[in-house]
């Protein structure tokens, strides 16, 4: 489904007495755990992605664009693997975005109290705050990721794999007036550690033009209802989305945008949101009927874990 991403995969490492020399030399610092063998085996099959300039935008572990910022997580070759120190944690970085410094890593060293919980797990750990996303052991993480791709839970095109899932936890979708609205969310490890910051992606897709009943509709406004940890709700309304008023029609059946949501400035934690979008049949300049509303069901945000 994605020839460019497949072409970017490097050949596997040569077998030397059953041991991958570059990876093994790096991993001599950790115990010869079965949990690490799946990671080594992956490099025997494909030694990461080629680092040619035209492949940097085709990260195996997905990409997104938000407010002009582009992130693509590329699988690093064995020669580019590195271990970094984050406080009392040592992280083996195996996927990296050269533009945003987003990464995926494996915990190869941590305080004994966290061994059973985090050692050898794939994580995204936010410096300073020690908030993190735990993706499990590498074998479990990689198998689950491939299963999600096969099941269509990430959009895959000729050019990219979407980092934002379109199905599963922390997503929501509805179909109204022939238009499917899908919202996906993710925790922003690369953002300020002061607040919890999340990216959310909204996709409008015309799936039934007869049910729509008009040749086109144009977005007029959005309405969000954000829920906080104390069960208080805050309304947020505004015209358009990210400064645009997209048109949905048979000729333009698809529109996607990405934005952010974060904790209240007082520090009160946001935990989820729901809302609706108001569209004008025809166009804003030439309306053809009463507004239609596209609902978004409540979506629970992927609140990260914290090391205390």
């Amino acid at each position: 489904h994605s020839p460019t991403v497949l072409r970017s995969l490097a050949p596997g490492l040569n077998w030397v007495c059953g041991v991958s020399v570059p990876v093994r030399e790096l991993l001599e610092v950790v115990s010869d755990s079965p949990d690490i063998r799946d990671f080594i085996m992956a490099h025997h099959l494909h030694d990461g992605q080629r680092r040619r300039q035209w492949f940097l935008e085709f990260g195996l572990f997905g990409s997104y664009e938000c407010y002009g910022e582009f992130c693509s997580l590329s699988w690093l070759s064995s020669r580019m693997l590195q271990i970094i120190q984050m406080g009392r944690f040592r992280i083996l970085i195996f996927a990296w975005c050269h533009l945003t410094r987003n990464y995926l890593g494996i915990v190869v060293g941590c305080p004994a109290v966290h061994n059973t919980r985090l050692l050898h797990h794939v994580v995204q750990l936010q410096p300073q705050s020690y908030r993190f996303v735990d993706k499990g052991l590498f074998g479990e993480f990689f198998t689950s990721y491939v299963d999600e791709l096969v099941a269509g839970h990430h959009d895959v095109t000729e050019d990219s794999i979407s980092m934002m899932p379109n199905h599963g936890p922390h997503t929501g979708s509805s179909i109204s007036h022939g238009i499917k609205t899908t919202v996906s969310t993710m925790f922003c490890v690369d953002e300020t550690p002061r607040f919890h910051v999340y990216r959310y992606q909204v996709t409008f897709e015309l799936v039934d033009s007869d049910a729509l009943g008009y040749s086109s509709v144009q977005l007029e406004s959005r309405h969000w209802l954000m829920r906080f940890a104390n069960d208080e709700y805050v309304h947020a309304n505004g015209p358009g989305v990210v400064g645009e008023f997209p048109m949905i029609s048979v000729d333009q059946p698809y529109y996607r945008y990405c934005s952010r949501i974060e904790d209240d400035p007082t520090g009160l934690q946001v935990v989820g949101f729901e809302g609706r979008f108001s569209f004008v049949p025809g166009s804003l300049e030439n309306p053809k009927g009463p507004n239609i509303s596209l609902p978004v069901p409540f979506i629970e945000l992927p609140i990260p874990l914290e090391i205390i």
Side-chain angles (χ1 to χ4, degrees):
H1 292 290
S2 188
T4 304
V5 172
L6 295 179
R7 289 198 304 272
S8 75
L9 295 177
L13 293 170
N14 291 326
W15 292 85
V16 181
C17 299
V19 176
S20 162
V21 176
V23 175
R24 177 62 67 193
E25 288 177 350
L26 181 67
L27 296 179
E28 282 179 354
V29 295
V30 301
S31 61
D32 187 19
S33 165
D35 301 332
I36 294 295
R37 291 175 191 164
D38 287 333
F39 175 74
I40 297 174
M41 183 63 71
H43 282 272
H44 282 307
L45 298 175
H46 289 286
D47 188 21
Q49 290 181 269
R50 297 180 175 93
R51 298 297 291 173
R52 297 173 184 170
Q53 185 64 36
W54 57 86
F55 284 141
L56 292 179
E57 295 184 359
F58 306 108
L60 178 66
F61 297 107
S63 61
Y64 69 81
E65 185 171 0
C66 190
Y67 289 116
E69 174 187 85
F70 181 78
C71 174
S72 183
L73 276 178
S74 297
W75 183 15
L76 299 179
S77 70
S78 57
R79 288 182 294 179
M80 297 188 69
L81 296 174
Q82 58 179 312
I83 294 177
I84 63 173
Q85 192 80 29
M86 287 191 184
R88 297 173 296 164
F89 292 80
R90 300 171 72 240
I91 312 292
L92 168 65
I93 304 299
F94 69 86
W96 177 258
C97 174
H98 71 293
L99 296 174
T100 65
R101 297 187 177 182
N102 249 312
Y103 74 92
L104 285 171
I106 297 176
V107 177
V108 294
C110 63
V113 68
H114 298 297
N115 275 356
T116 57
R117 180 186 184 191
L118 283 178
L119 187 61
H120 300 154
H121 280 219
V122 175
V123 300
Q124 289 177 299
L125 179 66
Q126 186 177 57
Q128 300 180 27
S129 76
Y130 287 100
R131 300 186 186 111
F132 68 97
V133 178
D134 182 3
K135 297 180 178 290
L137 298 172
F138 181 84
E140 298 168 354
F141 155 73
F142 199 81
T143 300
S144 176
Y145 180 61
V146 171
D147 287 345
E148 289 177 2
L149 293 179
V150 171
H153 293 179
H154 295 261
D155 291 342
V156 180
T157 68
E158 291 286 323
D159 300 325
S160 66
I161 298 172
S162 175
M163 193 182 301
M164 307 282 278
N166 58 37
H167 182 82
H170 315 297
T171 67
S173 66
S174 67
I175 297 179
S176 180
H177 300 279
I179 297 176
K180 183 178 182 179
T181 305
T182 304
V183 180
S184 310
T185 60
M186 63 181 289
F187 174 65
C188 300
V189 178
D190 56 316
E191 292 285 349
T192 172
R194 184 179 178 188
F195 300 118
H196 293 81
V197 182
Y198 305 89
R199 291 185 182 90
Y200 67 89
Q201 177 179 274
V202 180
T203 304
F204 301 111
E205 181 181 7
L206 179 60
V207 295
D208 188 343
S209 58
D210 291 334
L212 179 60
Y214 299 95
S215 59
S216 67
V217 293
Q218 187 171 12
L219 179 66
E220 181 181 54
S221 62
R222 67 190 186 279
H223 174 79
W224 291 121
L225 184 62
M226 298 176 290
R227 193 177 89 187
F228 290 85
N230 63 353
D231 284 333
E232 287 186 0
Y233 287 84
V234 173
H235 295 263
N237 306 305
V241 291
V242 294
E244 298 182 355
F245 299 85
M247 188 87 71
I248 302 295
S249 66
V250 174
D251 295 329
Q252 297 174 301
Y254 184 90
Y255 178 81
R256 167 176 288 171
Y257 79 95
C258 184
S259 189
R260 295 184 179 93
I261 185 172
E262 62 183 47
D263 293 344
D264 185 84
T266 63
L268 189 58
Q269 187 175 345
V270 61
V271 296
F273 65 102
E274 59 189 291
R276 64 179 184 273
F277 295 91
S278 181
F279 280 78
V280 174
S283 67
L284 296 178
E285 294 183 353
N286 186 22
K288 300 294 186 180
N291 284 18
I292 64 174
S293 180
L294 304 185
V296 175
F298 180 79
I299 298 169
E300 183 178 355
L301 289 168
I303 298 171
L305 303 170
E306 297 194 28
I307 297 171
I308 300 175

